Amino acid sequence: MTGKQEPKNTRTIAVDLVARVEGEGALRVTVKDGTVQGVELKIFEPPRFFEAFLQGRHYSEVPDIVARICGICPVAYQMSAVHAIEQIFGLRVEGALRDLRRLIYCGEWIESHALHVYMLQAPDFLGYDSGIAMAKDHPAVVTRGLRLKKAGNAIMTLLGGRSVHPVSVKVGGFSRVPRRSELEGLKNELLWARDAAIETVRWVADFDYPDFKLDYTYVALRHPDEYPFNEGQVAVSSGLQISANEFEQHFTEYQVAYSTALHCALQGSPYLVGPLARLNLNQEHVTPLAKQVLTNCTIALPFRNPFHGIIARSVEILYALEESLRLIERYEPPPVPALPVVVRPGTGMACTEAPRGILYHRYQVDGDGVIREAKIVPPTSQNQSRIEQDLRLFMPRLLHLPDKEVALACERVIRCYDPCISCATHFLNLEITREGAA
C-alpha cells in the first residue's frame, strides 16, 4: 500500500498488487460525500495477442498454441478450440474419446479448484495472508489440499502428456490414448481424493460468511443428461437458452479506457459465469453423494452469496472425482486415438466450461486448413463488469473502516471470482479517492 499527497477533503488509498489472484491489476474506487461514485477494475497486464498469433497458422497447431494462454486451465482452451474446428470439419467425437475428453476436463477442475479453495481463498476466512502462513497452523489441511491438486494433475499428465500446457489433445481426439491399466492405476488415489473432497465441502461450509445476497443473472452451459464440461447450450437464469453459434448475437465485448481486458455484456448488462452459475443452473445433475453432503451441511441451493463460491468449487471437486471414477470404470480403449480429418473451409463456434466459467471460441478456416480469423472470450472478461457491480454494492458497508481494511475487504470480494487476469488480458492495485464527507 502506498500513500499519495492528498487534496483537501480527498482521501486516496493505493494497493500496488493484490495477492492470491492470477495476474496483475488494480482497483480504483471514487467516494464522494460518503457515496461510491465509481468502481474501475483495472487490468494492466499487456495484451497477449493470441487471437492474432493464431491467424495464418494451420488448424493442427491450434490446440498447442491456445494451451499456452493459461497454465491453470489449458484444457479448457484446447477443448473449446477443437470443438469449434471439428464443427467446421463435420466431426463428431463420441464414445471412449468423448469420455477421455470429459476425464481430462475433470482433472483440470480438480487441480484448479483445489488450488483456489486451499491456497487462494481459504486464508481469507481463517485470517491468514497466504496459504503458506496458514500451513504453519493447519499443516494437515494444506497437505490435503495439495494432495487433491496433485490427483487432478495426475489425470492431466496421463491424458495430456504433462499437467501444464498438455500436448496430447488434437482435433479429432488425442495423439495417444491410455491403456486401461494406466487409468486403473489412478483409482486408489482418486478414491482417497473423493473422501478428501467430502471433508473439503464440510470444512468450507463451516466458514463464517458475510451476509451478502445478490440477484445475479447466471450464465452456464446446460446439457440434458449431464453436468456440463464440453457440451451443452448456453443457458441464462432468465430463461434464454441458445447454441454457441448464437453467442455473439447476445453477448457483446466492449473496451473500457482503464483496462487492457475487454468486458463482455449480455444484452447490455453484467452477468455471472463460473461455479456459482454452473451449480445453480445444473443442480439436477449433481451426484446423489454431493447432494447428501450439502444437505448434511444444511446448505440449500441456489447460492446467491458470492462468498459461497468456495463451497460451489468444493462441490465441483467432489463431482469431478466421482465422474472421473465412473469414466475410468467403464473405459475401453478406442480403436484409434483420433478420428480422421477432412479439411474444409468454414466458420465454427464452441463454448466449454472452464473452471472459472464458459469459454467461447470462434475460428474461420480456409480450404487449406489455415486459420484466417480467431475470437476468444474468456470467463474472467465476462465476469469483470459483475465484479465491479458487486464491489459497488459491497463498498458502503466498508467506508467507515481504515483504508487498509477497505482494501483487504475488496480483495476478498474479488477473490470470490478466482479471476485469471492473464487469460483476460486481452488486474490489484487499489486506489480510493474520497471527496467531501466520507
Side-chain angles (χ1 to χ4, degrees), residues 411-428:
E411 290 187 66
R412 288 188 63 182
V413 173
I414 293 167
R415 276 193 287 273
C416 292
Y417 293 86
D418 191 16
C420 191
I421 294 170
S422 295
C423 284
T425 50
H426 157 68
F427 157 141
L428 184 78

Side-chain angles (χ1 to χ4, degrees), residues 185-234:
L186 297 172
K187 284 180 61 175
N188 286 342
E189 189 63 12
L190 296 180
L191 287 168
W192 171 88
R194 184 179 60 184
D195 292 340
I198 294 171
E199 290 304 313
T200 302
V201 177
R202 293 170 177 163
W203 177 56
V204 300
D206 282 340
F207 289 169
D208 184 17
Y209 292 96
D211 182 13
F212 185 51
K213 294 181 179 178
L214 300 170
D215 291 323
Y216 285 111
T217 296
Y218 298 108
V219 178
L221 293 185
R222 273 182 59 81
H223 188 279
D225 304 319
E226 60 193 16
Y227 204 81
F229 287 109
N230 285 41
E231 299 176 6
Q233 290 207 309
V234 179

Side-chain angles (χ1 to χ4, degrees), residues 323-365:
E323 180 69 353
S324 297
L325 289 163
R326 184 185 75 84
L327 293 168
I328 290 173
E329 190 64 34
R330 74 179 196 181
Y331 178 67
E332 293 295 339
V336 294
L339 302 177
V341 173
V342 177
V343 174
R344 65 187 189 191
T347 301
M349 295 80 98
C351 277
T352 68
E353 282 286 356
R356 290 153 193 81
I358 58 174
L359 169 59
Y360 172 77
H361 284 219
R362 169 170 55 81
Y363 297 95
Q364 182 182 352
V365 178

Side-chain angles (χ1 to χ4, degrees), residues 282-316:
N282 292 279
Q283 51 187 290
E284 74 272 26
H285 294 310
V286 175
T287 60
L289 176 60
K291 287 179 181 175
Q292 189 59 55
V293 173
L294 275 176
T295 300
N296 292 345
C297 294
T298 66
I299 298 173
L301 295 169
F303 290 153
R304 293 175 50 211
N305 185 333
F307 291 93
H308 288 168
I310 193 171
I311 305 177
R313 284 184 176 82
S314 301
V315 171
E316 287 193 335

Side-chain angles (χ1 to χ4, degrees), residues 54 57-66 78 82 85 89 167 169-171 341 343 365 368-371:
L54 289 163
R57 307 302 291 259
H58 194 258
Y59 80 86
S60 59
E61 298 177 279
V62 172
D64 288 345
I65 293 174
V66 297
Q78 293 181 314
V82 296
I85 294 171
F89 298 161
V167 294
V169 173
K170 61 183 293 185
V171 175
V341 173
V343 174
V365 178
D368 295 321
V370 175
I371 304 297

Side-chain angles (χ1 to χ4, degrees), residues 81-99:
V82 296
H83 276 258
I85 294 171
E86 287 165 2
Q87 182 187 72
I88 299 170
F89 298 161
L91 279 178
R92 178 73 181 172
V93 174
E94 302 278 11
L97 288 174
R98 181 182 188 273
D99 282 359

Side-chain angles (χ1 to χ4, degrees), residues 12 23 43 119 130 145 148 218 241 272 274 322 360 375 401:
T12 301
I43 291 177
M119 302 304 291
S130 68
L148 269 169
Y218 298 108
Q241 191 157 317
L272 179 71
E322 288 192 273
Y360 172 77
K375 183 181 179 65
L401 297 173

